[in-house]
Amino acid sequence: MAQLNLILVWLFVSTLCLYSCPSSAQLSRHHYAKTCPNVENIVREAVKKKFHQTFVTVPATLRLFFHDCFVQGCDASVLVASTGNNKAEKDHPDNLSLAGDGFDTVIKAKAAVDAIPLCRNKVSCADILAMATRDVIALSGGPFYEVELGRFDGLRSKASDVNGRLPQPEFSLNQLNSLFAANGLTQTEMIALSGAHTVGFSHCNKFSNRVYNFKSKSRVDPALNEKYATQLKSMCPRNVDPRIAIDMDPTTPRAFDNVYFKNLQQGKGLFSSDQVLFTDSRSKATVNSFASSSKTFHANFAAAMTKLGRVGIKNAQNGNIRTDCSVL
């Protein structure tokens, strides 16, 4: 009987999906070939301009894409502004630290696309964010990869949807794995995507417990490199301005490289969720592999980003193309 019920549920879901469940099959590298053939160059030029204004464009855009895809899928719902009767995703506590430069990058790229009459209101905000993310990675020395296009923008953005959907700085390997697995991503893909922290920055309050309040005699996390812990204390004194941010890669913070993984080997992971990738025997070999080969890391990162870009995509039935990325 239970088996029959399962079959009936599967048939019901399959029937629904015949008409409205989006699939990565709708994505294509040439989605805009007829409607906006030069879209990738238009976006790239806008992103380049923003990048030359501030390097923060890189981590800000990359983090925006990640926070978008992990909540309701890659549908630009993180870009939506709150209204009097709707508190949107971007106003959830976990998203308040998203840097304005990421949002500005998408706004500028969208304006550049819509300035071309042929392209106006043809390209989704979700696709613009996906392209801009690929471009900031390449501009900072990371891999250039082809972006699949054809996402529609989501029709919903609620702060409550963010609860429990984003990784936290103190997560264990099990917690990281289960969160990424919920989005169809493997442990190796999770480790590759964590490598984005090579250009990241963090506010002091996200890791201060590791240098001031850890459950050890010295109050410092023993997994932290001693010299690095001292540096962190000097950059983040106890009553530091909460707006102060420091680089997640203390060695080459402005290069998208594999040094993040080399740092982990030396106990220089800023978050415990970074360092655990090396201290846990189940993930250590992957960290070592990425640390020893930039080529291996880049290939894995590009493949993981492509897979991430397929999460929870919307189609014409459950999405649209926003004229203003901040308005549903």
Side-chain angles (χ1 to χ4, degrees), residues 18-40:
L18 209 56
Y19 302 101
S20 63
C21 285
S23 129
S24 60
Q26 82 186 42
L27 299 179
S28 149
R29 280 164 48 186
H30 312 292
H31 181 79
Y32 297 106
K34 288 178 181 168
T35 50
C36 185
N38 205 26
V39 65
E40 294 198 51

Side-chain angles (χ1 to χ4, degrees), residues 247-277:
D247 296 318
M248 297 192 75
D249 173 355
T251 316
T252 56
R254 291 186 166 218
F256 194 100
D257 53 25
N258 66 336
V259 173
Y260 164 81
F261 298 103
K262 294 179 182 182
N263 290 337
L264 297 186
Q265 292 173 322
Q266 297 165 37
K268 294 180 183 176
L270 187 62
F271 294 162
S272 47
S273 60
D274 291 313
Q275 196 56 51
V276 75
L277 302 179

Side-chain angles (χ1 to χ4, degrees), residues 176-218:
L176 288 168
N177 278 338
S178 61
L179 192 64
F180 278 72
N183 290 286
L185 296 159
T186 66
Q187 176 176 286
T188 301
E189 288 160 345
M190 177 272 289
I191 298 166
L193 291 170
S194 297
H197 284 173
T198 187
V199 288
F201 61 87
S202 169
H203 294 93
C204 295
N205 64 344
K206 294 291 183 187
F207 59 85
S208 58
N209 64 310
R210 295 190 73 201
V211 291
Y212 293 118
N213 299 310
F214 202 77
K215 292 172 189 166
S216 70
K217 257 187 182 179
S218 67

Side-chain angles (χ1 to χ4, degrees), residues 106-179:
V106 179
I107 290 164
K108 296 258 169 64
K110 166 81 168 159
V113 170
D114 284 351
I116 310 296
L118 181 69
C119 302
R120 189 167 298 137
N121 301 329
K122 299 280 194 341
V123 183
S124 69
C125 301
D127 277 347
I128 288 172
L129 176 56
M131 286 182 272
T133 302
R134 181 269 312 274
D135 294 335
V136 296
I137 290 162
L139 282 166
S140 53
F144 180 88
Y145 54 93
E146 297 292 343
V147 174
E148 296 174 337
L149 301 167
R151 299 166 191 80
F152 280 72
D153 297 324
L155 306 176
R156 164 194 178 100
S157 179
K158 292 199 176 294
S160 55
D161 290 339
V162 181
N163 295 335
R165 299 281 175 87
L166 295 170
Q168 301 300 315
E170 69 286 349
F171 266 15
S172 66
L173 185 68
N174 286 349
Q175 288 172 306
L176 288 168
N177 278 338
S178 61
L179 192 64

